[in-house]
Amino acid sequence: MSIDTTRRAESVGEPLDRVDGRLKVTGAATYAAEYPLHDVAHAVLITSSIAKGRVRRIETAAAERVPGILAILTPQNAPRLPGVQAGNTGARGPAARGAASMRVPTILQNDEVHYNGQPIGLIVADTLDHALAAHDVIRVDYAAEHPVLDMDTAPRNPPESVHPLGGARTFRLGDVDAGLGAAEVKVDHTYTTPLENHNPMEVHNTLAAWEGDRLTLYESTQGIFSVRNTVARQFGIAPENVRVIAHFTGGGFGSKGGAWSHETLAAMAAKRVGRPVKLMLTRRQMFGPTGGRPRTVQHVTLGAKRDGTLTAIRHYSTSNTSTLEDWIEPALSQTRMLYASPNIETQYDVVRINVGSPTFMRAPGESTGTFALESAMDELAYALGMDPIQLRLANYAEVDPENNHPWSSKSLRECYRVGAEKFGWGRRNMAPRTMRDGRWLVGYGLATATYPARTAPASTTARLLPDGRAVIVAGTQEIGCGTYTVMSQIAADALGVPPDRVTFELGETTMPETPASTGSVTAASTGSAVYQAANALKQKVVSMGLRPGESYESFIKRSGGQPIEVTISARPGPEQQQYSMHSFGAVFTEVRVDPDLALVRIPRIVTAHAVGKVLNLKTATSQIQGGVIWGIGMALLEETQIDPNNGRYLNADLAEYKVPVNADVGTIDVHFIDEHDPHVNAIGVKGAGEIGITGVAASIANAVYHATGKRVRDLPIRIEKIL
Ligand code: MOS
């Protein structure tokens, strides 16, 4: 076969099937807990049944008599880890809380209990059954204290720090009080969103094995390098001595962005018993020990002239965190950049309560923040008697209001136009409760979607094999988004070969380093590195004497038969500082509401997004559909409930924690705007992983208002809130 190395791109953009699809549906894809190591011992967590206090003593005598018990780790007997400083162990008092970007694990370094369900011990046995049998007879003696559990009555504080995702604690542009004074129409409301938990299909699993002072972790993670770095620091060993492997991760959505406690506990146990240890969390243990979305209370005030021009936006957000670390739900980012108001003010506060530490959860901030802002914009549209799209167009930001930077690209107008046309927005009567289908009330709602387009440094190796096939290697993760597939497509086009001539390898920390699969950065960042590495490889082969029209296979054969390889590191360019980079979209929802029973049904959602270049129409569409389904859950179903007395997670399973099932999801009609972004990165990709959920809850709430005349500002929208 002759290969035209100068041919134009053909694979990128195509709806190629997932290259790992067959492995997944046949069960041949190997997940963390499935690696067939020899002589594996099994661990189960002991978790606290109080929400605050101390572990006085863990009575282990009965458990130790269970056959096959190898070790029981407790705060009393667990090894003290050299890389865990006093300030990083959850020692009480403000000075000890972790910075926003520093996870504070609970790894048996002290006897403190900060939430109900916190890991306080670990049982290791020859079989899982033996470990569970021992767990049944463990008795824990606590010195219990009264937990703080009610966010609405607990003290509100300024956060000690805000994660870079969230920006400054306080942002001020212009003078909001003056802007509100000049307003002819105002809306002023509080919107709330509940605690949520991620619930990926694969729970968090770790398989830990030591060889001397070298540790291997098979791990279900979105970030192999972040897990490596954290665990190496804790054990006081060099990062090169920790190898993290994750060839497939069964969903993460932010909960697997870095290490929690279980990785370290499994490694500790493996060292203690001198065997590999497998620790699989239960579904219940996904509520608390591995993060979740905090509750938010968001106060939005908008002022506008009669023509719809905004004079002021004020948006305050208070979210809960744990008593271990200050995690702020970055719910205010979109408010600083979405609309061209001369006066904008945002501010975060935090309430520390006895729950597990919250963390990133799909579009952390923009999902909750757009619920508040885009609901308020709908309320303003009604206060003005103005079409909600017209109101948004009247305040279209031509540059980023936060910093006056130009956009690297922005196609939001086209998103509104295309979405409205595909949806049939023109058929809408503005007045609530005026559209019906038989006895059902019909509502149309709209909201804007937005998410930052981030690119991070990434490295990649590209190698040509003697048979002319290419192997592309990067230490990234496949968390279900299609990474194996789109990276193969990018490399295939750059090399000028069909994608089935390319194998993409990922998921080991011995590979070239790339960012964690968080913040929708992977396609943009690792994709840029793959593109540059494949191009560099092609250039190298050309410079070595590849003849026009000659296949790689024939060239390698006549030039020594050895593989040819390059490794490159891609860095984001200076454009990152010169432009504001964001994806945008518009979400249109039709709801049907039963006027007597207040049942809400969502027969269809139409989206139009501009995400830069779409690498694979099928996987990108799936990303948006998945995000929209999460948004349906956020709007109508999801809420983690905590016992107000003892802090126990009440609905910590998939029977009681409600997520959308097929019957809850109607048609999701996804459209992409053809968008060329010359600034964002080498491949023009903005990322489509998280924007799909943004705006969805507001779009649904706005449609429910249109159908019923009931404005629900407190998610999820349950029957009793609209009856
Ligand atoms: Mo995403 S919430 O940054 O994994």
Side-chain angles (χ1 to χ4, degrees), residues 222 252-255 257 360-364 451 479 517-520 690:
Q222 295 170 242
F253 312 111
S255 72
F360 312 92
M361 184 161 166
R362 202 167 193 166
Y451 194 78
I479 62 172
S517 296
T518 55
S520 301
E690 292 173 87

Side-chain angles (χ1 to χ4, degrees), residues 23 111 140 493:
L23 287 178
D111 59 5
V140 184
D493 282 4

Side-chain angles (χ1 to χ4, degrees), residues 436-460:
R436 284 196 181 242
D437 180 14
R439 58 189 302 278
W440 291 85
L441 297 165
V442 174
Y444 286 4
L446 155 83
T448 309
T450 184
Y451 194 78
R454 301 189 181 93
T455 308
S459 302
T460 294

